[in-house]
Amino acid sequence: MNRMFIVSAKNLFKKYSPLLITSTQKTFIRKLTTTSPNKILSRPLPPYLYNDNSVYQLEREYIFRNNWIYAGRCDRLQKLGDYLSITIAGYPIFIYRSPLTNELIAFHNVCSHRAGPIVPINSNNYGVALYGNQSLLKCQYHAWLYDSRDGKLKATPHFDYKFQGDEKKCLNLKKINIEIFAEQFIFVNLSDIKEKASINTLLYDLLNDMMSFPLKEYLHFNSQYHLINCNWKTYVENYQEGYHIHGVHPELNNAVQSKQYLVTNKNNTYSIHYAPSRNTENDQEKFLWVYIYPNLAINLYEKGYSIEHILPIGKDRTMISYDFFIRSTSDESQMKDRIVEAKQAMIRTLEITNEDKMICEQVQINLDA
């Protein structure tokens, strides 16, 4: 497993584990086995960290609430009134292009009156990204209206009550910090901490690598969703190593030299993945595989790329949301070829994800045991 999660988890559970369980019963200590002077074999964290609901609630508060979390892409929110609704680790939020300012703004998708949603939630698919357009910020429950510039309460139809100043103020929508990374990727931070490092500062070195790809030329092509019955960390730990490829992914193992699979940790914030191709006859296409803590993976290629969004929906269930993009071109023949390649990539992704689903769910069963 990559060191970035171990460091963050140690800080979290060292501080808050007394709230969960006595230290004499369970410990955070990860057992390590030395395999050679230069190699260390990492074991899983103690099993209760993968299946205890109180642990998951702490993760929601101290990991998914306090870190910058990917939400979506700017190019899908071009028109006035466009919105992105998404639920991240149980937090329903939305990004909105204000018809009054033409700027993107983010709020919790919760009316302060009776907790109704302001924009629809993709409840049939566990709150994964849902895009749409809505001219007004109007609660879906009692039709209360809010200002799209700042979320202030504007009107309460058929509700004859004179609010005092402080009463009305506390009924405003709750704003969320929002930043754009690499000119396209929308990140949100749900914490109330005013002085926080910018996502562009945290990922400054990665920015140069990503901007070598023409990100504005890529168009959304399709999406996939996979429900996996395991803790989100079980899936992330599997993602963060290539050691399992030879045993779990036979087709992928035929395509890459899995013994040379390398994961390079960058400041406990993101990691770069690399594996050389087995096809030595052709020059390997330019690519960038990156995992950004805590729950985002991006695989960039010259002709297209994919986003893998790892969304916890409970202590033992995780939704894997894929978005596939194609680099646009005015050459119709080239575009047709790229569409064919994108469809093939989706098929390969489906096969690999099903293989990961199988092993991660079996690992989760054993951790629960």
Side-chain angles (χ1 to χ4, degrees), residues 193-237:
I193 301 173
K194 293 183 179 180
E195 295 183 5
K196 58 175 68 66
S198 163
I199 187 65
N200 287 279
T201 300
L202 294 171
L203 301 179
Y204 179 79
D205 292 335
L206 176 62
L207 180 63
N208 292 329
D209 293 332
M210 292 187 63
M211 293 303 287
S212 66
F213 294 84
L215 296 174
K216 291 186 177 181
E217 296 180 13
Y218 295 87
L219 304 175
H220 182 257
F221 175 68
N222 213 326
S223 301
Q224 283 183 7
Y225 307 106
H226 305 274
L227 178 62
I228 302 182
N229 294 316
C230 73
N231 184 269
W232 70 279
K233 298 188 297 300
T234 304
Y235 183 85
V236 168
E237 288 180 349

Side-chain angles (χ1 to χ4, degrees), residues 141-269:
Y141 195 1
H142 296 105
W144 282 25
L145 290 170
Y146 296 88
D147 194 313
S148 67
R149 293 168 295 188
D150 51 18
K152 289 182 179 178
L153 180 63
K154 290 178 62 177
T156 57
H158 312 296
F159 191 75
D160 299 324
Y161 177 79
K162 266 298 194 190
F163 289 105
Q164 300 299 316
D166 289 341
E167 287 181 316
K168 191 172 182 180
K169 185 177 180 180
C170 75
L171 291 171
N172 296 337
L173 293 180
K174 302 300 185 292
K175 288 181 65 176
I176 295 172
N177 300 291
I178 181 174
E179 284 194 12
I180 310 301
F181 173 69
E183 300 181 357
Q184 286 295 327
F185 301 91
I186 304 170
F187 280 78
V188 295
N189 190 304
L190 279 61
S191 74
D192 298 326
I193 301 173
K194 293 183 179 180
E195 295 183 5
K196 58 175 68 66
S198 163
I199 187 65
N200 287 279
T201 300
L202 294 171
L203 301 179
Y204 179 79
D205 292 335
L206 176 62
L207 180 63
N208 292 329
D209 293 332
M210 292 187 63
M211 293 303 287
S212 66
F213 294 84
L215 296 174
K216 291 186 177 181
E217 296 180 13
Y218 295 87
L219 304 175
H220 182 257
F221 175 68
N222 213 326
S223 301
Q224 283 183 7
Y225 307 106
H226 305 274
L227 178 62
I228 302 182
N229 294 316
C230 73
N231 184 269
W232 70 279
K233 298 188 297 300
T234 304
Y235 183 85
V236 168
E237 288 180 349
N238 176 75
Y239 186 92
Q240 281 285 80
E241 49 99 332
Y243 185 37
H244 71 285
I245 290 177
H246 70 284
V248 177
H249 304 302
E251 292 299 322
L252 180 59
N253 191 54
N254 290 334
V256 302
Q257 300 180 48
S258 58
K259 288 185 178 181
Q260 297 183 44
Y261 198 102
L262 180 65
V263 180
T264 305
N265 177 30
K266 300 286 188 175
N267 301 319
N268 293 325
T269 304

Side-chain angles (χ1 to χ4, degrees), residues 36-50:
S36 76
N38 299 319
K39 294 183 179 180
I40 293 180
L41 175 65
S42 293
R43 301 288 301 281
L45 301 168
Y48 78 98
L49 296 180
Y50 298 86

Side-chain angles (χ1 to χ4, degrees), residues 325-343:
F325 298 82
I326 300 176
R327 184 177 176 183
S328 62
T329 174
S330 57
D331 187 311
E332 293 184 7
S333 178
Q334 283 187 359
M335 197 62 184
K336 288 180 180 179
D337 290 341
R338 290 180 183 181
I339 290 174
V340 170
E341 291 176 5
K343 290 180 178 178

Side-chain angles (χ1 to χ4, degrees), residues 98-155:
S98 171
L100 299 177
T101 65
N102 195 28
E103 295 181 352
L104 292 177
I105 191 167
F107 299 99
H108 286 276
N109 194 8
V110 182
C111 178
S112 297
H113 173 218
R114 290 284 298 280
I118 307 302
V119 301
I121 296 173
N122 195 347
S123 55
N124 291 332
N125 217 353
Y126 300 96
V128 299
L130 177 68
Y131 292 86
N133 188 280
Q134 193 166 297
S135 60
L136 298 172
L137 290 186
K138 182 173 70 172
C139 176
Q140 309 274 312
Y141 195 1
H142 296 105
W144 282 25
L145 290 170
Y146 296 88
D147 194 313
S148 67
R149 293 168 295 188
D150 51 18
K152 289 182 179 178
L153 180 63
K154 290 178 62 177

